[in-house]
Amino acid sequence: MRVIEIKKPGGPEALVPAERPVPEPGPDEVLIRVAAAGVNRPDVLQRLGLYPPPPGASDIPGLEASGVVEKTGPGVTAWKKGDEVTALLTGGGYADYALAHVGSCLPVPAGVSLIDAAGLPETFFTVYANVYDDARLKPGETLLVHGGTSGIGVTAVTLGKATGARVIATASSEEKLAAIRALGADAAFDYRRDDWEHEIARTGGADVVLDMAGGDFVKRNLTLLNPGGRHVSIAFLRGNNAEIDIFLMMRKRLRLSGSTMKIRSMEEKARLADGLRREVWPLFAGGRLRAVTDRVFPLAEAAEAHRRMEAGLHIGKILLKIA
């Protein structure tokens, strides 16, 4: 099968085509004939040598894919050959075939194409786990999302609105701010301005912050959180060290948490998948949610897909079309 390998850490040119044997599904695994794979920030970090795959995972990049079940491993009864699925992976998506644990597979939502479905698992698992399962965002509360046009950002904005929250997002250009508003955000702010946290606080603040920035943004986020607010860190594009005013955290009764998805157990991912299937996937059928795809590149142009992600030009998900 065709794959994209990382020969050695480096720039986008480190992504090179190769051939490998088609893997065999083990117990509780399915083999997916991949239609498309999502491109995510952790893929870039892996390419740079900063985010190695967990033990036992494929060294091929790609944390999500959609396609058709080709073969099932021992013990699999929930899926059969020919089923269309979209799946969260521990790696291996940039290939003709990929293995997925049965618990991290979901059906392609109604109204979503097989290609577009490749961009759903990584962001929806992440947003659902952090904003809903952890921070317990409720209808009527306000969610602040940094990087509102990224894959995670678009998912958080649209899912927040679909579940009855007031949503604020930040971005770095007028084009992106307009895109955020078009997605349904109640307000959008340019984070390059010096006073965005004061303006957000002045207009009602936030109850939950989904933060991908880290660094100096954490201190600023805490100033705009309302009493009882929850701050969830999922990345640190501005640095992994932050200054925290402990008295402010005590006085406002704030809760700070953080997580990664890649290293979670299969049991945990299966629990999240079940929640998504019950609570979120029906929103696609009802038209309250849709997949937002930025651009689709052929597998051979994986390097160009990474260049687009690193340039920050995308609004929604970047995909690689495999089949």
Side-chain angles (χ1 to χ4, degrees), residues 32-38 64-67 85-87 89 93-95 114-119 296-297 319-323:
I32 300 171
R33 178 161 41 86
V34 179
E64 60 184 348
S66 62
V85 297
T86 183
L89 312 174
Y94 293 14
L114 187 59
I115 298 298
D116 287 336
V296 180
F297 291 85
L319 305 179
L320 295 176
K321 186 176 182 181
I322 313 297

Side-chain angles (χ1 to χ4, degrees), residues 23-34 67-89 97-106:
E24 279 290 318
D28 297 321
E29 288 185 328
V30 298
L31 177 68
I32 300 171
R33 178 161 41 86
V34 179
V68 178
V69 173
E70 181 71 16
K71 192 174 182 180
T72 60
V76 175
T77 58
W79 304 99
K80 65 182 184 303
K81 182 175 181 178
D83 285 343
E84 292 188 347
V85 297
T86 183
L88 188 69
L89 312 174
Y97 293 89
L99 293 175
H101 188 273
V102 65
S104 64
C105 294
L106 285 162

Side-chain angles (χ1 to χ4, degrees), residues 46-209:
Q46 180 181 344
R47 193 201 72 220
L48 293 169
L50 302 176
Y51 197 13
S58 172
D59 64 329
I60 298 168
L63 298 176
E64 60 184 348
S66 62
V68 178
V69 173
E70 181 71 16
K71 192 174 182 180
T72 60
V76 175
T77 58
W79 304 99
K80 65 182 184 303
K81 182 175 181 178
D83 285 343
E84 292 188 347
V85 297
T86 183
L88 188 69
L89 312 174
T90 56
Y94 293 14
D96 283 324
Y97 293 89
L99 293 175
H101 188 273
V102 65
S104 64
C105 294
L106 285 162
V108 174
V112 178
S113 74
L114 187 59
I115 298 298
D116 287 336
L120 299 181
E122 177 70 11
T123 60
F124 275 89
F125 270 84
T126 299
V127 172
Y128 182 76
N130 288 282
V131 175
Y132 295 90
D133 194 53
D134 184 3
R136 301 291 180 181
L137 179 70
K138 297 184 288 292
E141 288 191 318
T142 297
L143 168 67
L144 169 62
V145 181
H146 286 300
T149 56
S150 66
I152 293 286
V154 165
T155 297
V157 169
T158 55
L159 184 55
K161 290 305 299 177
T163 55
R166 174 175 175 259
V167 179
I168 303 169
T170 67
S172 60
S173 71
E174 287 303 320
E175 178 189 8
K176 290 185 175 182
L177 293 173
I180 289 170
R181 296 186 188 100
L183 289 169
D186 297 277
F189 293 88
D190 188 336
Y191 64 71
R192 298 171 301 179
R193 289 168 41 187
D194 292 335
D195 61 346
W196 55 263
E197 71 270 34
H198 302 298
E199 184 65 16
I200 293 173
R202 187 186 65 80
T203 56
D207 301 295
V208 175
V209 174

Side-chain angles (χ1 to χ4, degrees), residues 114-320:
L114 187 59
I115 298 298
D116 287 336
L120 299 181
E122 177 70 11
T123 60
F124 275 89
F125 270 84
T126 299
V127 172
Y128 182 76
N130 288 282
V131 175
Y132 295 90
D133 194 53
D134 184 3
R136 301 291 180 181
L137 179 70
K138 297 184 288 292
E141 288 191 318
T142 297
L143 168 67
L144 169 62
V145 181
H146 286 300
T149 56
S150 66
I152 293 286
V154 165
T155 297
V157 169
T158 55
L159 184 55
K161 290 305 299 177
T163 55
R166 174 175 175 259
V167 179
I168 303 169
T170 67
S172 60
S173 71
E174 287 303 320
E175 178 189 8
K176 290 185 175 182
L177 293 173
I180 289 170
R181 296 186 188 100
L183 289 169
D186 297 277
F189 293 88
D190 188 336
Y191 64 71
R192 298 171 301 179
R193 289 168 41 187
D194 292 335
D195 61 346
W196 55 263
E197 71 270 34
H198 302 298
E199 184 65 16
I200 293 173
R202 187 186 65 80
T203 56
D207 301 295
V208 175
V209 174
L210 183 63
D211 182 49
M212 294 174 272
D216 59 311
F217 271 34
V218 174
K219 180 179 180 180
R220 301 169 77 176
N221 291 336
L222 299 190
T223 67
L224 61 84
L225 272 170
N226 296 325
R230 291 85 75 196
H231 184 285
V232 188
S233 297
I234 59 170
F236 41 87
L237 298 176
R238 297 177 70 91
N240 63 344
N241 292 309
E243 179 182 335
I244 295 172
D245 184 335
I246 295 175
F247 180 60
L248 177 67
M249 184 174 66
M250 294 165 57
R251 181 167 55 84
K252 288 188 174 184
R253 309 185 312 280
L254 304 178
R255 184 162 66 85
L256 282 66
S257 63
S259 72
T260 63
M261 185 59 61
K262 193 172 185 179
I263 62 173
R264 292 193 186 214
S265 69
M266 289 302 177
E267 292 76 17
E268 176 70 3
K269 291 174 182 176
R271 185 183 66 81
L272 294 170
D274 184 61
L276 285 168
R277 184 183 292 107
R278 288 183 290 103
E279 300 174 21
V280 176
W281 257 221
L283 299 175
F284 285 98
R288 296 167 64 186
L289 276 179
R290 62 184 179 89
V292 181
T293 299
D294 173 78
R295 187 173 295 184
V296 180
F297 291 85
L299 179 63
E301 294 180 17
E304 289 304 312
H306 274 226
R307 289 188 181 97
R308 182 167 179 81
M309 170 156 282
E310 289 184 290
L313 300 174
H314 56 296
I315 297 173
K317 292 303 297 278
I318 300 170
L319 305 179
L320 295 176

